[in-house]
């Protein structure tokens, strides 16, 4: 799905849920109505939808947490790299689930914890070659 289609489908869904709120909750979007709408959109408590989760778990599980290039992520999740960069990546960066480095995208410790995976230890910038 292209970025324009994704945005259009999300906007269409929001309009439908707004209309649903008008009918079910006398036009007031309550916490229960909002929770139902988010559940129908498969958005979790962190604001991540199915594709957000696929992107992060792909980086963690297939690429050891990164760094990995945008084109490689796009191919792995079956999405256009432009859509990833313009639609999904900004939110993941803002929420602290993803970092953009010169070498590629890296899943943060927050991303690991979100999926119940223990994050790798911080390297402190240098690898240890020898113990003792």
């Amino acid at each position: 799905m292209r970025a324009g289609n994704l945005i259009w489908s999300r906007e269409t869904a929001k309009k439908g849920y707004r209309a649903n709120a008008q009918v079910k909750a006398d036009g007031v979007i309550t916490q229960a109505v909002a929770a139902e709408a988010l559940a129908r959109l498969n958005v979790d408590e962190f604001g991540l939808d199915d594709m957000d989760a696929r992107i992060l778990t792909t980086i963690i599980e297939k690429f050891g947490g990164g760094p990995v290039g945008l084109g490689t992520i796009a191919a792995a999740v079956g999405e256009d790299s432009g859509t990833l960069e313009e639609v999904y990546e900004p939110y993941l960066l803002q929420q602290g689930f993803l970092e953009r480095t010169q070498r590629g995208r890296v899943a943060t410790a927050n991303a690991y914890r979100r999926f119940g995976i223990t994050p790798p230890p911080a390297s402190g910038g240098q690898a240890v070659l020898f113990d003792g």
Side-chain angles (χ1 to χ4, degrees), residues 5-14 49 52 87-88:
N5 293 338
L6 178 68
I7 293 167
W8 177 84
S9 66
R10 284 187 177 179
E11 288 300 315
T12 302
K14 284 195 303 190
D49 66 13
D52 295 318
V87 176
Y88 296 101

Side-chain angles (χ1 to χ4, degrees), residues 37-87:
L38 291 172
R40 286 186 183 187
L41 290 170
N42 292 323
V43 175
D44 69 13
E45 66 273 17
F46 300 98
L48 303 179
D49 66 13
D50 291 338
M51 181 56 81
D52 295 318
R54 280 181 56 204
I55 292 165
L56 293 172
T57 56
T58 296
I59 294 170
I60 293 168
E61 295 172 355
K62 291 187 178 182
F63 302 105
V68 60
L70 184 64
T72 302
I73 298 167
V77 299
E79 184 61 85
D80 178 71
S81 61
T83 302
L84 292 182
E85 189 170 31
E86 295 170 17
V87 176

